[in-house]
């Protein structure tokens, strides 16, 4: 008798009801084809990833996705967004490869902070740069760091007369008022004998 009509009598057939097997049960046994869909050397019946030549079982990432941990952080690439950053699994605020650190504790992460060590500046270095306050003591529109007369609204530098004293030359004699005693007398810097505004002249030369 040849029950499965495979050309081999039942007495010589190891799979009586499987016309595709007669001399051996193969890898999968009678009634199951020894198909190896992904040609990885393991029959489909003996693996869970029939279409993945690299895997027999799903593992962590599933069939078709390798269980690779590129950055060796203990989390497979399929379960993180920062495959090459061992310190992060997700980009966070600063992105993969950049730590989410706020060195100066100003509430702005270093990746977005122009002054990493200045808690008073984060979006701009201002007029004075990081680490220096943009204070304008005399409210003249120029920060103290960019002028020498912090308390003189009229001057940025000392000039001739110094901070707090205007470099005025009232009588236009070429000498600032701060350096002469006769501010309104272009002919004299000091009062002399006759005083400011009166020339020290001896018309008749009588001494």
């Amino acid at each position: 008798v040849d029950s499965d009509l495979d050309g081999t009598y039942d007495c010589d057939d190891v799979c009586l009801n499987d016309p595709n097997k007669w001399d051996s049960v193969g890898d999968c046994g009678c009634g199951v084809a020894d198909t190896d869909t992904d040609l990885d050397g393991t029959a489909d019946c003996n693996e869970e990833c029939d279409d993945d030549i690299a895997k027999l079982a799903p593992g962590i990432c599933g069939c078709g996705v390798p269980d690779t941990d590129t950055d060796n952080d203990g989390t497979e690439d399929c379960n993180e967004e920062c495959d090459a950053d061992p310190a992060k699994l997700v980009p966070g605020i600063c992105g993969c490869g950049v730590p989410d650190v706020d060195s100066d504790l100003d509430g702005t992460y270093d990746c977005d902070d122009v002054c990493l060590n200045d808690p008073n500046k984060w979006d701009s270095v201002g007029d004075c740069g990081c680490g220096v306050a943009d204070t304008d003591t005399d409210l003249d529109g120029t920060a103290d760091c960019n002028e020498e007369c912090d308390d003189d609204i009229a001057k940025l530098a000392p000039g001739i007369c110094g901070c707090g004293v205007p470099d005025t030359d009232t009588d236009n004699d070429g000498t600032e008022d701060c350096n002469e005693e006769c501010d309104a007398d272009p002919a004299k810097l000091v009062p002399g004998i006759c005083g400011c505004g009166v020339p020290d002249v001896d018309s008749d030369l009588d001494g």
Side-chain angles (χ1 to χ4, degrees):
V1 177
D2 179 9
S3 300
D4 54 13
L5 304 176
D6 60 0
T8 299
Y9 289 107
D10 290 359
C11 62
D12 292 324
D13 194 333
V14 296
C15 292
L16 304 184
N17 298 306
D18 187 340
N20 296 309
K21 295 182 178 181
W22 51 88
D23 57 350
S24 169
V25 298
D27 291 323
C28 299
C30 298
V32 181
D34 296 332
T35 304
D36 180 8
T37 302
D38 54 16
L39 303 176
D40 61 358
T42 299
D44 294 353
C45 66
N46 290 324
E47 69 166 299
E48 297 176 63
C49 294
D50 301 345
D51 295 305
D52 186 343
I53 194 172
K55 301 175 84 171
L56 299 181
I60 301 294
C61 297
C63 298
V65 181
D67 294 336
T68 304
D69 179 9
T70 303
D71 53 17
N72 296 312
D73 62 357
T75 299
E76 287 72 12
D77 296 351
C78 65
N79 287 326
E80 68 166 300
E81 296 177 57
C82 294
D83 301 345
D85 185 345
K88 301 174 86 171
L89 299 182
V90 293
I93 300 295
C94 297
C96 299
V98 181
D100 292 337
V101 176
D102 179 10
S103 299
D104 54 15
L105 303 176
D106 60 0
T108 298
Y109 289 103
D110 292 357
C111 62
D112 292 323
D113 195 332
V114 297
C115 292
L116 304 184
N117 298 305
D118 187 340
N120 296 310
K121 294 183 177 181
W122 52 87
D123 57 350
S124 169
V125 298
D127 292 323
C128 299
C130 298
V132 180
D134 295 332
T135 305
D136 180 9
T137 303
D138 54 16
L139 303 176
D140 62 357
T142 298
D144 295 352
C145 66
N146 291 323
E147 68 167 297
E148 298 176 62
C149 294
D150 300 346
D151 296 305
D152 186 342
I153 194 172
K155 302 176 81 172
L156 300 181
I160 301 296
C161 297
C163 297
V165 180
D167 294 337
T168 305
D169 179 9
T170 304
D171 54 16
N172 295 312
D173 62 358
T175 299
E176 286 73 10
D177 296 352
C178 66
N179 288 325
E180 69 167 297
E181 297 176 57
C182 294
D183 300 346
D185 186 343
K188 302 175 80 172
L189 300 181
V190 294
I193 300 298
C194 298
C196 297
V198 180
D200 293 338
V201 177
D202 179 6
S203 299
D204 57 9
L205 304 174
D206 60 2

